Amino acid sequence: MSSPVAAASPALPPAPSAAPAPADGLPTPRRWVAMAALLGGIVLVVLDMTIANVALPLIAQTLHATPAQAVWVATAYQLAVVMCLLPAAALGERVGYHRVFAGGLALFIAASALCASAPSLPWLVAGRCLQGLGSGAVMPVGLALLRFTYPRRLLGQAIAWNALTVAAASAAGPAAGAALLTVASWPWLFAINLPLGALVLAACAGLPRVPGTHRPLDVGSIALNAGLFASFVLGCDWLMDRPAQGAALLALALVCGVGLVRRELPRAAPLIPLDLLRSHPFRISILASVCCFTGQMGATVAMPFYLQQGLGQSTLATGLLMTPWPLAVMLAAPLAGRLSDRLPTAWLCAGGGAVLALGLALCAAVPLQDHPWLGVGLFTALAGAGFGFFQTPNNRNMLLNAPQERSGAAGGAQGTARLTGQTLGSLMMGMLFHALPAGPAARWGLAASAVLALAAAGISLLRSPGRGAATAPSMGA
């Protein structure tokens, strides 16, 4: 099937003449329009982190690239997002969250057109970088806008829906990609964003108008932030093939990180949310999230190669075998949200991380050549249930331990933790593909992902259950 023709990005919707949102949320039906924009934008940008993973073997073959090179289709997107999250959150606080959200969404749509028309791997990777910059603007300010969309008494429900949307979209990417690939070629994985993105962009007219602080942006801190993440990711990628250059880049990342912390430490509203990280529950939730998403992304990248090259499954079969994961997430996350009103969130996160680790360990260790459909379907469902039980209470604890005026920074920190973990997961798989054939590398990747999920469970137990539960408002229906 032929590749789609790249289309022009739709223009930003004009700002309506409505007054700024009241302090206690938006009235209905405008609240519904705003939620359609926020959740729709999150689905688009989070889904695109993983939707192309199932097509990586096909992309590598079509564009004449190695598996390790093809992994950069995923890594480039995540790297751009994680570099952009904290600066975008600061920009949203300065000029207004709704402007940054709509602008990031428009950039994401335009970059999707570039990806859909990519004739080579470098072109595709460049388009994915631009997509990531747009996504990095949408994610943190979307969370901040959520707090101005719903009244305080319903904020717990809104956070639960946001956490469920992020978890489900992140896990559903491979299945959605496989379903689309059964009827179209891989460029349609990106072209589908054009009509869907236009609808979400139109709904941005209903977003709450939160006045900006006009606080000046620190260009030096933004540059150090970009240098930290870019040199770290490139250093990890080069470490095996070019160890001297890789080690130098990792040293540069350390220098940039130390410089950034020293520069931001005395500030009242730092680019890096050091003020929020002083909270013990917030800090533990961030560390656990990084470990969990490293394991989740490692498994998401490894599984298609394991199923297709290790077990001889087709692309369609691969997507179907991975479908129990997002289905289990969608069932587990709302239940976990309700249980977090009654049980300590540390226990829920520890239990969820342990179940996720068990599902991934079974995928890696149990021979599945004779009965792949039964084994993989059961094990991925188990992993998805654990992922859902971990993410919802962990995100809830993280978000509600930040004051409202630092909503953008909290969203940036949450997104940075998630994207840092997913970038590390992609890099881990890239290093394994460098060192081993695709089949064994995928199984080792699943085993390593299980260990990381178990680490997330252990870290969650370090959070004080009493403090974690006390800070969270009710999420009753």
Side-chain angles (χ1 to χ4, degrees):
M1 297 182 183
S2 60
S3 298
V5 178
S9 169
L12 289 176
S17 58
D24 200 29
L26 295 174
T28 56
R30 186 182 170 192
R31 185 193 304 162
W32 302 336
V33 177
M35 281 301 290
L38 293 174
L39 296 184
I42 290 209
V43 166
L44 281 175
V45 301
V46 174
L47 198 65
D48 251 54
M49 290 178 196
T50 56
I51 195 171
N53 288 353
V54 73
L56 288 181
L58 179 61
I59 290 174
Q61 180 181 5
T62 304
L63 299 181
H64 309 291
T66 66
Q69 291 170 335
V71 169
W72 269 97
V73 174
T75 304
Y77 183 91
Q78 293 147 10
L79 172 60
V81 173
V82 80
M83 288 172 60
C84 189
L85 282 171
L86 296 177
L91 182 63
E93 290 182 353
R94 182 180 188 273
V95 304
Y97 298 128
H98 60 285
R99 291 189 176 93
V100 176
F101 186 92
L105 187 59
L107 177 58
F108 174 85
I109 297 168
S112 296
L114 293 177
C115 292
S117 60
S120 63
L121 186 65
W123 180 300
L124 180 58
V125 170
R128 291 285 280 171
C129 284
L130 291 176
Q131 268 193 322
L133 293 178
S135 299
V138 168
M139 290 179 186
V141 299
L143 175 64
L145 286 166
L146 196 69
R147 299 187 74 169
F148 293 95
T149 299
Y150 269 74
R152 181 175 295 275
R153 63 185 175 84
L154 298 177
L155 186 58
Q157 293 183 44
I159 291 175
W161 279 108
N162 182 82
L164 170 60
T165 301
V166 171
S170 179
L180 190 56
L181 287 174
T182 61
V183 296
S185 55
W186 66 261
W188 282 97
L189 296 172
F190 308 107
I192 194 66
N193 293 330
L194 302 180
L196 297 179
L199 293 174
V200 176
L201 198 60
C204 288
L207 292 175
R209 265 53 184 171
V210 183
T213 62
H214 303 290
R215 185 186 301 118
L217 294 176
D218 189 333
V219 178
S221 292
I222 291 175
L224 286 171
N225 175 79
L228 165 63
F229 288 110
S231 54
F232 176 76
V233 172
L234 289 174
C236 290
D237 185 64
W238 289 3
L239 199 57
M240 295 189 68
D241 288 341
R242 291 171 277 184
Q245 294 93 324
L249 284 171
L250 291 177
L252 177 60
L254 179 61
V255 170
C256 289
V258 172
L260 183 59
V261 171
R262 290 175 61 89
R263 187 181 183 94
E264 293 293 300
L265 195 58
R267 300 180 188 274
L271 180 71
I272 301 179
L274 299 171
D275 52 332
L276 302 182
L277 290 172
R278 294 188 182 100
S279 165
H280 178 75
F282 189 92
R283 184 170 61 250
I284 293 300
S285 296
I286 288 286
L287 292 174
S289 185
V290 170
C291 287
C292 182
F293 272 103
T294 302
Q296 179 262 342
M297 191 62 183
T300 302
V301 173
M303 190 66 78
F305 286 96
Y306 175 50
L307 292 174
Q308 294 180 38
Q309 300 190 15
L311 300 181
Q313 300 297 310
S314 66
T315 301
L316 175 60
T318 297
L320 293 175
L321 285 167
M322 296 178 69
T323 299
W325 181 308
L327 292 179
V329 171
M330 295 179 68
L331 292 173
L335 178 59
R338 292 184 179 276
L339 288 176
S340 62
D341 282 335
R342 301 172 177 84
L343 298 174
T345 55
W347 296 358
L348 289 172
C349 292
V355 172
L356 171 60
L358 177 60
L360 296 178
L362 290 172
C363 285
V366 175
L368 299 172
Q369 284 78 6
D370 294 334
H371 303 286
W373 285 86
L374 178 62
V376 175
L378 178 62
F379 299 157
T380 55
L382 191 64
F387 186 71
F389 267 96
F390 175 89
Q391 272 308 112
T392 300
N394 192 67
N395 283 352
R396 181 174 182 265
N397 182 77
M398 198 187 313
L399 303 181
L400 295 181
N401 271 284
Q404 187 174 14
E405 63 272 14
R406 292 289 280 157
S407 296
Q414 182 207 29
T416 299
R418 181 175 68 251
L419 268 297
T420 298
Q422 291 182 325
T423 301
L424 290 173
S426 293
L427 288 170
M428 176 183 73
M429 290 310 306
M431 295 174 71
L432 286 172
F433 285 136
H434 272 295
L436 299 169
R443 293 192 69 173
W444 278 106
L446 289 170
S449 297
V451 172
L452 289 162
L454 193 61
I459 291 172
S460 296
L461 290 175
L462 299 177
R463 186 169 70 235
S464 167
R467 289 171 65 183
T471 56
S474 173
M475 287 175 57

